[in-house]
Amino acid sequence: MTDPATIELREIERAQDNPADFAPLYERYVDLVWRFAFSRLGDRERAADATAQTFTKALAALPRYEPKRQADGTTFRAWLMMIARNVIVDDQRRHRETTNLDAPAAQLWLTDTRRSPEEHAIASDEQRRVHEALRKLPDKQRTLVELRAQGLTGQEIADVMGMSLAGVRTAHHRAYAKLRDLLANDFEGSSR
Amino acid sequence: MTKHHFPPSNPDEQAFLDFGDDIVSGATPEPQTDLESTFLHIQGTLRQTSAEADAMPADLRHQTWTRVLESSAYRHHRPMRLGLSTPPRRPVVSWINLATLALAAAFILASVNMWSTYDGFDLFGEDVERGPVPTHDLAVAPTTPEATAAVSRACDFQSSIPIFIADEPPIDGPALYLSDNGDLRLRCSTTETGTLLEDDVRSVETYPYPNFVKLSVGSGPNPPPTLLNIATGEHVTLDLTGFTRYLGHPDWSQRFKVVPDQTDPGSWAIYDLETMRHVSLMDIGGVAFPTSDQMSVSMPATGTTMAFASGGYDSESSAFVERLPGADGDILVVQEDLATSHWISLPADFPPVTNFTISPDGSLLTILSRPIMGNTATIGLIDTATGAELTRTASYEAVPGDFTMQWIEGEQEIVYAVGGTLYRLQGTANASPEVLYEAEHKVSLVAQMAIPHVVHLAEDTEDEGLQSLIIFDTSTDEATRVEGKFRHSGFASPLPMVTPLAPLKTQLIAADGTRTWELNHPVTGQPLISAEGLPNATPEADIGYFMYYPPVTTASEAPVSIVLTDTNELLIVNLELAPAVTRTIALPDGVGRNNFRAAQLSPDGRSFTISAYEDDIDVWYLLDLTDAQSAWVEVSGPYPVGFTIHDSNQPDHAPDSDEKIGG
């Protein structure tokens, strides 16, 4: 049984030879890129556009990408997310605005349709608190937390953000410590 | 309540990072600290599931894939002119036609291959759910084109015109620019403000057909794309709202686009950008091609001959051609007038056809049976005009990756590789396969270049992941083994992508294992440049960092490719002359491999643009390649720079005023 990393390395090599063979990689990672773009941009169309740009750039750069094994997988996911991050940053600068978490599109991101109305209301309130706290983080820390939410490892986050692993280690700790304090203060404030 | 938190030690930070890694890897450790509890809380909140957040909606997912493919097609679609000579064995058509036809074949091969490889997406996995792609038959026809009378202007449409997002063009000379207020203007000279082409424009981007650009117009959500001819003012809106199915053919062609029928959105039609005309396939072939079925298309960019077929899926998830009810055959062949057509019936005893491609000149049709999960391959050649099967091969045993085929440029024949053997099959009645080359290890046809009689083979070696590169001349049957090792997948697609002419990269491996790189000529195999030959190469320079660009005839030189090296230099590599490197250009200050982002050569070869990531934004630079003394010009901030595709047949126009056209 071939391990997933070997399969992915083969798929990457095939896609390097023939762009049409990029499809398996697209299929595997399009949701990851979409979720990240949607969380950052809060707009369906812009997130779709960023997703398309990400894969277009990845396909264009693929011939000179040299994949490597990393942990149980390959470096492809981090490489792709690095492109996605840059595309999203470009988009945000073009729109000269930050993600509007109050927008209906962003609210969809926060919605869990499987809950009861009561559970939903409680959960929504908690999600609002978390997102408000997240907005108060420096952009780098916020990006780090959002990449974590997408399931990236520390090493992958370092690759995506162009940071050293030591830098991620520190920023990671600070980000969650800041969130812990923000959420605690918010709770205390709302309790008074 | 007051909280006290002491500065964390590195071990604390590392332990917390490890905790996070464990969580995202699927482990479920109990939180031991309040910080770990916070992590789980944040992670759980942000990972709340919803249909919208978890997976990209199907309509966007498919539209996005089509966009990716179309953008990729544009990258590969550049005008080519080449004077490399190889001894012709038979009369051949001109280089320009060959190049164009070869590029057309690229799009055909890629698109047809796409159709056959989509389903399940995984040739190797065992647990992939397979079945037809999801469909939503909400296709919306293109709007009626709003043709306006040709408006003459002073612009030279025989050159590429740069596209900027800026209130004023950042350079002198012709420019298409989109200002903050949504006005799209075309400026032909430095002195004028430009003709207003369209207002309320949200975005403008290159479109791969001469003088066309793709616009997003209006303020509504997700406006359909509008294609605007900047020379004539004609435009058409191709509204694919709600259309969510994969096309077998992802619209690689320049001139023709496959679109839903204007009068029956449930069936397919063709839109001709040359005539701005929409024709239903129902009107052409007598039966409707429903959008609910898979459709595959083989369409050379020249559009001289196109082929359409509808298909289905078998239990092993291979797409195959399936006759439409009421049709007079299986594959509809259509000429560029979109009126002349005939049906071709597949031979009754041929195994299920999973791919078909029309030869670059349109005279022959290859049908291929190559089930994705099967271990056989069969090829047949059909006379496009008569529909008669000329010949076919035996059914080869070949696991995925063991079979590749391609057309021979300028010939009525194909070559194909099975295992360690390269065969030729001529498009004549009852022709038999001819063994051209036998290798010790498996050989694969690698990406095809538009060079008459020349094919590139990768032969497996003992070094995993590295192959020997063999240049085979089908006119002399001579094989040239290139020095060094070539990195090519052992899992080649049955129909290799046609690529622009470009140097071949090989690795030279010394006895001590040290590897250096080299660029070789794609016809002779001779070294063009190597790490040692670079002016500023350092001894530790290892594998170079390459960017291949389609050969473009610059204003003053023959076709070139451009290479970015480890030494942060751009090399203009001339593929005809010696020495090969005719110009070395230093990157702008502050730009290097570490922040180099993107590059683009204008289709007319006159300008080159790059972007670099500086202080968290993209900065774009433009270089005039026609002037050896020119310097990089910073042209804008984070906005990409594009170019229009120039029209070599478009006459110059007389000057005109700033009137609004095409409204």
Side-chain angles (χ1 to χ4, degrees), chain A:
Chain A
M1 179 73 181
T2 310
D3 68 285
T6 300
I7 290 173
E8 184 160 285
L9 288 172
R10 288 173 177 170
E11 289 171 342
I12 293 166
E13 289 177 352
R14 291 174 61 236
Q16 287 175 324
D17 297 329
N18 184 352
D21 285 342
F22 192 55
L25 296 166
Y26 173 83
E27 185 70 1
R28 183 170 306 133
Y29 291 115
V30 66
D31 289 336
L32 177 71
V33 173
W34 157 258
R35 282 195 299 265
F36 184 49
F38 197 81
S39 71
R40 295 292 292 175
L41 301 173
D43 179 273
R44 176 185 158 106
E45 277 69 39
R46 284 171 63 189
D49 186 60
T51 304
Q53 283 191 53
T54 298
F55 282 97
T56 300
K57 287 173 184 271
L59 187 54
L62 201 60
R64 59 181 188 276
Y65 169 62
E66 296 187 3
K68 296 182 178 66
R69 287 177 181 272
Q70 186 175 79
D72 295 331
T74 74
T75 54
F76 182 80
R77 182 168 75 159
W79 179 73
L80 187 67
M81 292 300 280
M82 179 180 66
I83 296 172
R85 176 177 175 262
N86 291 336
V87 166
I88 290 163
V89 168
D90 290 348
D91 179 280
Q92 289 172 324
R93 291 185 183 282
R94 271 199 299 273
H95 285 78
R96 298 189 180 98
E97 62 189 27
T98 57
T99 303
N100 179 9
L101 288 172
D102 296 326
Q107 291 300 321
L108 285 173
W109 164 250
L110 306 177
T111 302
D112 180 352
T113 54
R114 294 175 305 182
R115 295 170 185 242
S116 68
E118 188 178 0
E119 290 171 329
H120 191 271
I122 295 170
S124 294
D125 187 56
E126 187 55 29
Q127 287 160 350
R128 180 193 57 75
R129 290 179 63 241
V130 168
H131 277 273
E132 284 185 356
L134 202 56
R135 291 173 68 183
K136 294 174 182 173
L137 292 185
D139 190 67
K140 183 182 289 186
Q141 291 182 11
R142 181 183 159 192
T143 302
L144 188 154
V145 172
E146 287 173 339
L147 289 171
R148 262 301 197 207
Q150 302 307 323
L152 269 64
T153 65
Q155 181 60 56
E156 287 177 323
I157 292 170
D159 293 342
V160 169
M161 300 183 68
M163 299 170 65
S164 66
L165 188 56
V168 168
R169 187 180 62 202
T170 300
H172 182 258
H173 194 280
R174 286 178 180 167
Y176 285 95
K178 178 83 171 175
L179 284 171
R180 175 193 58 195
D181 294 349
L182 285 169
L183 290 171
N185 290 337
D186 180 47
F187 178 78
E188 288 169 2
S190 62
S191 300
R192 275 197 292 267

Side-chain angles (χ1 to χ4, degrees), chain A residues 14 16-18 23-24 26 31 35 44 49 64 93 96 109 111 114-115 126-127 148-149 154, chain B residues 17 21 41 43 47-50 53-54 56 59 61 67 121 123 487 489 491 545 616-617 639:
Chain A
R14 291 174 61 236
Q16 287 175 324
D17 297 329
N18 184 352
Y26 173 83
D31 289 336
R35 282 195 299 265
R44 176 185 158 106
D49 186 60
R64 59 181 188 276
R93 291 185 183 282
R96 298 189 180 98
W109 164 250
T111 302
R114 294 175 305 182
R115 295 170 185 242
E126 187 55 29
Q127 287 160 350
R148 262 301 197 207
Chain B
L17 190 68
D21 283 353
H41 177 62
Q43 196 76 353
R47 297 282 292 176
Q48 296 288 357
T49 55
S50 75
D54 255 4
M56 191 177 196
D59 57 337
R61 187 188 198 90
R67 283 183 59 188
F121 280 129
L123 299 181
R487 184 179 177 281
S489 166
F491 292 84
Y545 183 78
D616 279 350
I617 64 167
Y639 309 113

Side-chain angles (χ1 to χ4, degrees), chain A residues 60 63-64, chain B residues 75-76 78 449 486 499-506 517-520 529 544-551 560-564 573 599 601 608:
Chain A
R64 59 181 188 276
Chain B
R75 282 194 308 110
H76 289 280
R78 309 291 179 128
M449 296 184 192
F486 183 65
T499 64
L501 187 80
L504 302 161
K505 176 186 173 185
T506 56
W517 54 265
E518 191 170 78
L519 289 183
N520 302 87
I529 57 175
Y545 183 78
F546 293 95
M547 304 179 66
Y548 293 150
Y549 283 89
V560 297
S561 283
I562 293 181
V563 178
L564 173 64
V573 181
L601 193 61
F608 188 65

